[in-house]
Every structure is written in structure tokens, then in C-alpha cells.
Amino acid sequence: MRTVYFDNNATTRVDPVVFEEMRPYFCDLYGNPSSMHSFGGQVGKKLGEARERVAAVLGCDPAEIVFTSCGTEGDNTAIRSALEAQPDKRHIVTTKVEHPAVLNLVNHLVKKGYHLTLLGVDEQGMIDLDELRDSLRDDTAIVSIMWANNETGTVFPVAEAADIVKSRGILFHTDAVQAVGKIPIDLRALPIDFLVLSGHKLHAPKGIGALFVRRGTPFRPFMIGGHQERGRRGGTENVPGIIALGKACELAAAHMEEENTRVRELRDRLERGLLAAIPDTRLNGHPTERLPNTLNLSFKFVEGEAILLLLDQIGVCASSGSACTSGSLEPSHVLRAMGVPFTYAHGSVRFSLSRFNTREEVDFVVREMPKIIERLRSISPFSEEHSPSACTA
Ligand code: PLP
């Protein structure tokens, strides 16, 4: 059975071209880039090239890139750095729909005595810039607003948000893990202090990421150790990963046009096909301000997990917007923040495409999904328009 992989917001296939680029740096060119000998030195040069490639896709200076182990490390480093560098400022602003890499960190910081404002979103998953403006305080240390949401694909007005925040002299961080490689980014034109990306979302391997730190932004390292990354992140570099990330960024720039035309058309074809074929289905996320690859749909009266299991049986990989916590299926924090009604929130499925997907795969899912939903609805206890009174989401 072939696999139809529509779960690219979870992770992506390593591009074979990226793999070829990193391959020599395991068994042949394995020197330590910090070594004095030329065997290590040649690796150091290659790291420099990777740094330039990452900087090019973001429109920043290579010296402003710090390699990390993942997106989570980048988010943690940026926020903790801002707090450590400004000990008299103890207020953080972020949104209710951030990834756990930010949300669980700030909730942890609240327990340590920091103050937190969580910005809400409307029913399309969009933030309100007036609410952002009103949330800023003299003791706000950092504002963290994701560029694009991993569950719905909704793209936030990061440029406007950064302008508002910087006009108050406050540090601005954006988790761009889902945005880099999918939509153009030019840090030359944006007053952003910290930006985070992760390799495995853009066809590089897992376990490599990057943090942009604007020159002049106060910075305190999270990983304290050797002098790697010019003292900004201790630890021997993940050489093959960094080289892969550089190549993946170069390829992302080359494929940006395709991402916003062919991949978008595939996603739109899937969206139109499913909405037309399956009644009582709604789109979660912004109709237009959305990543070109992401489609989050809710099917009334069915459980997302049940849909995923039946999709899995025919080789289709997708994600659901609920997580099984303490034995009950809770709709995701993102759908709850958007106020998606209970009967829809539980039946959400996220399809996320990439340049490796085809029209045949889309048409296969459009053909198969109506049968799956019909089958599940025929056995659903909720189809009679009732929902358990204990659930208010
Ligand atoms: N931020 C967002 C928006 C994400 O989607 C993810 C991963 O799903 C992360 C952060 C964490 O990235 P990593 O898995 O590289 O730690």
C-alpha cells in the first residue's frame, strides 16, 4: 500500500538533495569545526556556507544566525534570554494559540513569578492588534507571536505586530517554524529581534534549528559551554544537520514560487473537493491569510481520531486537532481559543501538504473521505443533534 503523506506540518521528508549534501559529513569529513587542523577547518568553512544559506532565506546577516537543536530550543532561548537580560521586566505577552514550545514555557515562567498576558483570537484564528497594543506595559520584557499557526495555518500580521511592539521599545520574538520555506520572509524590512525556525519542517532532518538574533539585541545564552556559535550556544555543532539545514533553506527559496502556486492549488483542490462532497463540514482557520499548504477541516458529529484511524487504514497520514488527555478527547487549545463549537471541534482533521505531493493523491483523498465520514456518522451517538452537557468547548 502506498503512503499519502499529508502531515507536513508535523514533519517533512528529508529532500534527497539535502541528504546528499549532508552525507559526506558522517563518515568522511567528520572533523570538529573548532579544531586547529585543516581536516576540521574544511568543515568549519562548510558551516560558514550553511550559515550564509540560512541567512539568505531570511534576509539577514549570517552573523545573526545561531544554530540550535530544534524549534523548541530556539523559542526557549529567545524568551529566557529576554527575561535574563532585563531582570526588572517581568511581564510577557503571547497568544493563546502558540505551540507548546512557547505556551508551556510561559506557563512554567508564571509559576516562577512572571506575569503573563495571553492574547485571544477570533473565530478565524486571527489576533486583534488593538488588544496587543492595550496589553503592553512598562514592565513588558518580550512579546512572542507566532508567524503562522501549526494547526490552522492562519498567518498573523507579524509586521504590524512587530511595529506596535517596537514602538514601545519592547523585544519582539516570532516562532516562524511553520512559516519559513512556505511564505517569503525578509528580516531587513521587519523590526523583529528574535525569529525561530526548525529544519524538519522544511525538508531537513529532525534535530536541527536556527535562531535569528538581530545585531544589537541583548542576548544571554541558554546553553552555556564552549565558545561555539561565538559564545551564543555552547556544544559541538551538529555538523551534518547544519549543512542539511543550509541546503534545505537554499532549496526552500528556490521552491517558494511552487509552494505558493502548485502546492496551494493542490491544497485548494482538496479543500473544494471535501467541502463540496461532505455536508456539515467547516474550515478552521483564516480563508485567505493562511499558509498555502495547510487545510484544517471539522466534520460535524465525528471524532477526529476515528477519521485518522480509517485514513491510516488506506495509507493516508494526517493529524487531528484533539489530544487524548486523561482519558477524554479534548479539542485542541487552538480550536478552543477560536470558539469552534463542540460538535465540530472534536471532528477536526489537519491536512498539510508539501511539494512532494501530487494531484493523484489529492483526488484519492477526495474520493475516499466521504465514505469514511458517512460510515462514522452512521454509528455516531451524536448525530441526533445532542452533545454531552459537561462539554462546553
Ligand atoms: N513551533 C511551532 C509552530 C511548531 O509547529 C513546532 C513543531 O511542531 C515547534 C515550534 C517545535 O519545533 P521542534 O519540533 O523543532 O522543536
Side-chain angles (χ1 to χ4, degrees), residues 9-10 69-73 75 99 101 146 148-150 175 177-178 198-201 208:
N9 286 10
S69 67
C70 59
T72 304
E73 185 191 323
D75 287 333
H99 188 272
M146 68 199 321
N149 187 268
N150 44 302
D175 174 341
V177 164
Q178 293 292 346
S198 176
H200 74 105
K201 310 290 185 179
I208 185 66

Side-chain angles (χ1 to χ4, degrees), residues 1 14 38 61 69 77 83 92 94 103 148 156 162 169 175 180 201 213-214 234 237 248 274 284 294 330 349 360 364:
M1 187 173 62
V14 174
S38 56
D61 194 289
S69 67
T77 304
L83 297 174
I92 306 163
T94 186
L103 268 188
F156 284 155
D175 174 341
V180 175
K201 310 290 185 179
V213 185
R214 187 173 296 280
E237 299 87 343
L274 294 179
N284 298 316
T294 306
E330 273 289 305
V349 175
E360 287 66 42
F364 175 68

Side-chain angles (χ1 to χ4, degrees), residues 2-17:
R2 66 169 181 180
T3 297
V4 175
Y5 190 76
F6 282 177
D7 203 11
N8 287 277
N9 286 10
T11 198
T12 57
R13 172 191 191 196
V14 174
D15 189 315
V17 177

Side-chain angles (χ1 to χ4, degrees), residues 269-279 281 297 366 370:
R269 185 177 176 86
L270 182 64
E271 181 174 329
R272 276 195 311 272
L274 294 179
L275 286 173
I278 306 172
T281 303
L297 293 178
V366 170

